[in-house]
Amino acid sequence: MKRIWIDAGKCDGCLNRTLACMNAHRADKGSIYDLDLTDPVNESRSFIRRQPDGSYRPIFCRHCDEPECVNSCMSGALSRNRKTGIVEYDEKRCAGCFMCVMNCPFGVLKPDTAARSRIIKCDFCKDSGSEPSCVKACPKKAIWIEEVQS
C-alpha cells in the first residue's frame, strides 16, 4: 500500500501542490494557466496551514489504517479499500451529515464550498494512473510516496 508522507520542515508554503490538486480535479481538464482560482468547484483536496512560528504544515488525508471518518459514516459513502489502503468516497451515497468531518482527528475532511452538500478529500489522484499531482508538484520534495505494510 502506498502512503503520502510529509516533512513539514521542508515546506515553504509555496502552494504548488495546492494548485496542482485543484488543476487535477477540475472538470474541464484545462491547463494550470487558465485555472480559475476563485471558482469554488476547483477547490483543493488538501491545504497548507501557517503555524504561529511562521512555518507551514501541509494537511491532507492520511488514508488511515483505522479511519475514523469511515467508522462514523452512516451512509457508507466512505470506505477503505483493503487492497490499496485508500479511503474512498462515493459522493452518490453521501447523506451530507458531515459526521466524517467532525470525526477526522487530523481536521482534513471538509464540506465543499460551492454547495456544502458533499465532502472534499484526497482521492490519491485515482484517475491519473500515477503518483498524486501534489507529490509531483512539490519543488522542495516535502511530500513523497512510500510503500507501507499494513
Side-chain angles (χ1 to χ4, degrees), residues 18 21 50 54 64 68 84 91-92 119 130-131 140 143:
T18 302
C21 179
R50 187 162 190 178
C64 302
E68 292 299 324
T84 65
E91 185 178 335
K92 294 178 186 96
I119 62 162
S130 63
E131 71 181 354
K140 300 285 187 170
I143 54 178

Side-chain angles (χ1 to χ4, degrees), residues 3-148:
R3 292 285 189 273
I4 298 175
W5 294 89
I6 60 173
D7 180 348
K10 291 182 179 178
C11 181
D12 64 2
C14 72
L15 300 178
N16 282 5
R17 67 185 209 95
T18 302
L19 294 171
C21 179
M22 293 169 75
N23 197 54
H25 292 91
R26 66 192 278 191
D28 64 4
K29 301 298 181 201
S31 165
I32 196 160
Y33 299 107
D34 62 2
L35 175 64
D36 183 355
L37 301 177
T38 62
D39 186 348
V41 174
N42 294 333
E43 80 184 292
S44 178
R45 278 132 176 83
S46 62
F47 49 98
I48 299 173
R49 283 201 182 122
R50 187 162 190 178
Q51 304 297 75
D53 66 0
S55 65
Y56 296 92
R57 174 117 11 232
I59 309 290
F60 53 86
C61 183
R62 307 287 177 115
H63 299 281
C64 302
D65 289 333
E66 291 294 327
E68 292 299 324
C69 60
V70 172
N71 294 338
S72 64
C73 182
M74 297 180 284
S75 66
L78 287 166
S79 61
R80 183 173 182 270
N81 183 312
R82 291 184 187 268
K83 182 179 176 186
T84 65
I86 303 298
V87 174
E88 298 173 342
Y89 173 59
D90 182 352
E91 185 178 335
K92 294 178 186 96
R93 295 185 72 178
C94 184
C97 68
F98 303 125
M99 289 299 293
C100 57
V101 173
M102 292 183 270
N103 284 291
C104 174
F106 301 104
V108 175
L109 282 72
K110 62 182 179 177
D112 70 297
T113 303
R116 298 190 62 79
S117 62
R118 61 188 180 99
I119 62 162
I120 299 293
K121 72 169 291 304
C122 171
D123 62 1
F124 221 82
C125 288
K126 65 180 178 186
D127 297 328
S128 74
S130 63
E131 71 181 354
S133 59
C134 60
V135 172
K136 289 188 267 189
C138 182
K140 300 285 187 170
K141 305 297 181 206
I143 54 178
W144 67 95
I145 301 290
E146 273 188 24
E147 195 74 31
V148 296

